[in-house]
Amino acid sequence: MSEDKIIITISGKDKVGIVAGIANTLAELNVNIEDIKQTIMQDYFVMMMLCSIKNAKMSFKEIKDGIINAGNKLEMEVWVQRKEIFDNMHSI
């Protein structure tokens, strides 16, 4: 179900520990990574993740805030959207 899916986008200056930091936070939130793509453009890191929040015990807002806080600690920009919203935005 798409309401159980979220899209996470992370970007910023590349450094060690970005993927690990975000993945650890997702594990703590009981969010499952279903697909992940990342690239480095010059020294700029960009990652998109498709995740399931089906088994998470927190609300979407609490999950979103937790992921954004983890990104802030890593000095990264983070966007978290429900997949259904993401799909609708890109079908217009």
Side-chain angles (χ1 to χ4, degrees):
M1 298 175 82
S2 67
E3 63 264 13
D4 293 337
K5 308 284 185 192
I6 61 173
I7 302 284
I8 304 167
T9 307
I10 298 163
S11 64
K13 185 145 176 62
D14 188 35
K15 65 179 109 186
V16 172
I18 299 167
V19 176
I22 298 299
N24 285 335
T25 297
L26 294 175
E28 290 169 5
L29 296 169
N30 208 30
V31 173
N32 186 48
I33 300 169
E34 294 187 349
D35 196 3
I36 182 171
K37 303 265 188 271
Q38 71 179 58
T39 189
I40 307 291
M41 294 183 287
Q42 297 180 3
D43 289 329
Y44 202 70
F45 175 90
V46 179
M47 177 170 65
M48 286 188 71
M49 306 171 93
L50 171 65
C51 298
S52 172
I53 59 172
K54 181 171 69 174
N55 296 320
K57 306 296 183 225
M58 297 180 174
S59 71
F60 170 74
K61 181 180 180 344
E62 291 169 315
I63 292 167
K64 179 178 178 177
D65 290 346
I67 297 165
I68 290 171
N69 286 338
N72 287 342
K73 290 177 188 171
L74 294 165
E75 300 176 324
M76 303 299 285
E77 291 188 51
V78 179
W79 297 269
V80 181
Q81 298 175 299
R82 290 187 180 273
K83 183 178 183 300
E84 60 193 333
I85 305 270
F86 183 87
D87 289 344
N88 289 333
M89 284 177 29
H90 291 87
S91 66
I92 296 175

